Amino acid sequence: MAQDIEKLFRADKLLAITPTWTDRGSDLLEIVCPLEIEGTVVEGLQFRLTARKSMPDETVTVQIEYHPPGEVGGPWARIEWRPLSGHNNKGLGPKEWQNRLITGCHHHPFELNHRYASNELNRGNLPIAIPIESSPKDFDALLQLVNEEFRVTNLQWIEVPPWEPVLPLE
Amino acid sequence: MDRSATVGTGLTSGIAMSSADNPKLKEIVEAVAREIVSTDHRAGGSFIRTPLMYPGGATVVVRVDQGDNRFFVSDVGLGYQEAELMGAGSMYVKPARVIAEEAGVRFDNQAFFVLEASRDQLPGAVVTIANCSQHAVMRASDALAEKTFEDRKSRLYDKLVGVFERKVVKKNVEIIGASTQKWPIATIVTLHGHRPTIFEPVTKHPNSVAHAAMKFGDIALLKQDAPHRVAVVQSKAELGKLLTILSRSADVIDDNETNDRIRRLAMAA
């Protein structure tokens, strides 16, 4: 199984259907899309993208997740662009990243979480994150980063989230 | 004054020094307090980043909106979103409703909120909402862990039914150990002319191994009446030294063991 998930994560992947934004209520927008590898839509492998309707050009989260047949599964890697929440690595991961409180854009890399927290990886958690030093300047740049890190190659299908910014009251 | 003598730990006086003697330390502590609680004013609202964490390490954030001399405080569904990202979204709402009721706040199936707080009530409301949001995600996370283990038990049963006849495989049985403690057992295979064989899933978490070792040890003390015991793990290699503990009172096999070997284990009993 360990070899399978590494192999799946490192493979080139495609969004298997045209992704459309869903309004989940409470300001939450979401895309969930199955992923295809070499012509096969892999059972349980998904791409998830969330945004907040009232907050354009920020608080977008992207992750690859795997829910194998008969199992609950969870996320393998996540990128958080201009998030509201910070992240605390607690005492996990490489020494230089332990107990780091990260604010701003960050990435929960598959390699670090698989290596240092594989227990947590299958329990829905990605406890180790590292800052993204050069924050993508806009949504398209974010998708480019996701392409590089997650190897999902047809992200141009994804439309900009249907943001509805709230005008400040005077 | 030699403070290290007072402390009695052999620490150097530099470490034992209080902030009264070390204004630099005072500055550092003040700065850390500002780092762990911070504010963020964006187009979408004013947010307080609290020191609380969700199980995955994300910090709990609360939004504050102002009306006429009253404030609206909410986690804006961020706890629910965190649970969804974990894969535990469907396990969030039920405990969240209970948590909201116990805390005297509201919950609208995604977000915790206090509808109206006065300025005096605002700090308490922020902390309460943050706690509720964190608590609900922790409860969802626990439910997810439980479901994961239940799924493994189901898959083990299905596998054994594929290897043996259904009538010889029983699931969710109880065995009384030598101590008279009743132990829940995931699956047991009873072949004609052989002792029964327990097949029990065990995770690599130390608590799971300790519990299984305790259970198997008590059952093993039944001696000639003891069923044969087989611990089923995801990977023997990943257990490390815990494998030594587990193997003292049970055979240990991987989840993906061949049917042939499983059959031979049951027939060796």
Side-chain angles (χ1 to χ4, degrees):
Chain A
M1 183 60 189
Q3 285 179 346
D4 287 346
I5 69 171
E6 281 185 65
K7 201 171 153 186
L8 287 176
F9 185 78
R10 297 205 164 102
D12 281 341
K13 296 172 275 293
L14 292 171
L15 301 177
I17 58 173
T18 306
T20 50
W21 287 100
T22 301
D23 188 334
R24 296 289 309 275
S26 279
D27 210 37
L28 180 63
L29 300 170
E30 189 176 70
I31 283 175
V32 180
C33 201
L35 289 168
E36 180 182 314
I37 297 175
E38 293 180 349
T40 301
V41 177
V42 178
E43 189 178 7
L45 191 62
Q46 287 183 162
F47 177 85
R48 186 185 295 263
L49 189 55
T50 66
R52 298 204 74 87
K53 195 157 55 170
S54 67
M55 304 181 76
D57 296 311
E58 57 183 344
T59 62
V60 175
T61 299
V62 191
Q63 77 179 18
I64 297 278
E65 53 190 55
Y66 184 48
H67 303 280
E71 291 180 41
V72 177
W76 283 350
R78 181 185 301 143
I79 289 173
E80 301 197 44
W81 184 50
R82 299 173 180 166
L84 279 168
S85 293
H87 179 85
N88 186 337
N89 282 335
K90 295 180 268 192
L92 300 172
K95 205 164 175 198
E96 66 269 29
W97 295 115
Q98 291 175 11
N99 293 307
R100 291 282 298 270
L101 183 55
I102 296 165
T103 56
C105 299
H106 56 271
H107 176 195
H108 301 253
F110 172 78
E111 288 78 10
L112 285 184
N113 283 281
H114 184 53
R115 182 174 167 201
Y116 290 98
S118 60
N119 254 346
E120 296 299 312
L121 202 66
N122 292 322
R123 290 154 56 114
N125 292 325
L126 291 168
I128 302 162
I130 54 175
I132 296 173
E133 295 302 338
S134 180
S135 167
K137 63 177 177 12
D138 54 28
F139 186 72
D140 285 335
L142 171 63
L143 293 185
Q144 180 59 36
L145 177 65
V146 170
N147 177 334
E148 289 163 11
E149 294 293 338
F150 293 175
R151 295 178 181 76
V152 181
T153 57
N154 61 341
L155 294 177
Q156 67 276 11
W157 288 8
I158 298 176
E159 293 182 355
V160 170
W163 287 307
E164 292 177 9
V166 175
L167 294 174
L169 296 173
E170 294 299 332
Chain B
M1 182 178 165
D2 179 0
R3 293 182 187 276
S4 64
T6 307
V7 171
T9 62
L11 293 173
T12 64
S13 58
I15 296 171
M17 204 177 288
S18 74
S19 59
D21 301 318
N22 186 355
K24 193 76 183 151
L25 175 61
K26 185 176 170 186
E27 275 177 36
I28 290 170
V29 169
E30 296 285 342
V32 167
R34 283 194 298 275
E35 285 169 50
I36 63 179
V37 181
S38 60
T39 57
D40 199 343
H41 304 283
R42 302 189 183 192
S46 284
F47 299 90
I48 297 176
R49 198 177 288 129
T50 74
L52 298 181
M53 286 188 290
Y54 295 120
T59 56
V60 180
V61 172
V62 174
R63 192 176 84 188
V64 179
D65 294 289
Q66 185 175 15
D68 295 327
N69 296 319
R70 282 287 185 263
F71 298 87
F72 175 82
V73 181
S74 171
D75 80 333
V76 291
L78 287 169
Y80 174 74
Q81 187 177 342
E82 183 72 14
E84 278 272 290
L85 290 172
M86 291 173 65
S90 60
M91 301 162 199
Y92 182 83
V93 172
K94 203 166 162 191
R97 280 199 201 116
V98 172
I99 288 163
E101 193 178 326
E102 287 173 357
V105 304
R106 299 203 197 180
F107 178 71
D108 69 359
N109 289 334
Q110 284 200 19
F112 287 95
F113 60 97
V114 168
L115 201 51
E116 287 190 337
S118 66
R119 172 62 185 86
D120 290 339
Q121 294 169 324
L122 202 45
V126 167
V127 170
T128 299
I129 292 298
N131 267 296
C132 288
S133 189
Q134 181 206 44
H135 192 184
V137 176
M138 286 168 68
R139 290 280 298 278
S141 173
D142 287 344
L144 184 69
E146 182 65 31
K147 186 163 192 321
T148 304
F149 189 65
E150 288 301 315
D151 285 348
R152 280 192 65 215
K153 281 166 63 176
S154 290
R155 284 202 309 282
L156 177 58
Y157 174 76
D158 290 343
K159 180 168 180 141
L160 292 172
V161 162
V163 175
F164 307 101
E165 288 179 278
R166 187 176 288 271
K167 65 179 181 185
V168 304
V169 183
K170 298 268 183 301
K171 62 178 175 179
N172 297 327
V173 299
E174 234 175 31
I175 290 184
I176 302 174
S179 67
T180 72
Q181 170 71 28
K182 290 181 188 172
W183 297 105
I185 298 295
T187 43
I188 192 162
V189 173
T190 309
L191 299 179
H192 179 68
H194 298 271
R195 276 188 304 158
T197 299
I198 291 169
F199 289 91
E200 185 77 4
V202 181
T203 74
K204 62 182 175 183
H205 198 279
N207 284 351
S208 177
V209 171
H211 181 78
M214 184 168 55
K215 179 173 10 187
F216 290 146
D218 193 33
I219 292 171
L221 287 172
L222 295 170
K223 299 210 188 295
Q224 63 265 30
D225 294 327
H228 184 197
R229 299 156 310 281
V230 180
V232 183
V233 300
Q234 280 181 299
S235 166
K236 292 196 295 288
E238 286 180 346
L239 276 180
K241 288 178 185 168
L242 293 174
L243 182 59
T244 308
I245 297 170
L246 200 51
S247 63
R248 280 179 189 149
S249 47
D251 291 334
V252 186
I253 61 173
D254 285 346
D255 262 348
N256 60 359
E257 190 53 87
T258 62
N259 290 353
D260 187 51
R261 190 146 331 151
I262 288 173
R263 205 173 285 116
R264 279 191 272 133
L265 275 170
M267 291 178 72

